[in-house]
Amino acid sequence: MKLTLGIVERFRQRKAAYQTVFRGPLGGDVLADLAKFCCGFETTAGLNAHDMALNEGKRLVWIRIMKHLNFTPEELAVHYDATLRIPD
């Protein structure tokens, strides 16, 4: 994928929005709660396939938040174009 300034700027703005929300005064509290709820630091394996699928869906939300907080805008642009093709 060719990174254009427009694509990188879009991810720069999105990253800034995530940082505003999650790096703010209460962001740590919210992230701690989401880490538990979204299986951020544990296996998603459950007693049955339904539980595992549900937990994996939650975990994908956690991973998306972490990527937006920790990846550069350029890394985000390459990652989402190459692997997920997630629209805005």
Side-chain angles (χ1 to χ4, degrees), residues 22-40:
F22 293 109
R23 300 276 192 224
L26 300 175
D29 293 340
V30 173
L31 285 173
D33 179 60
L34 287 174
K36 291 176 189 172
F37 179 76
C38 295
C39 307

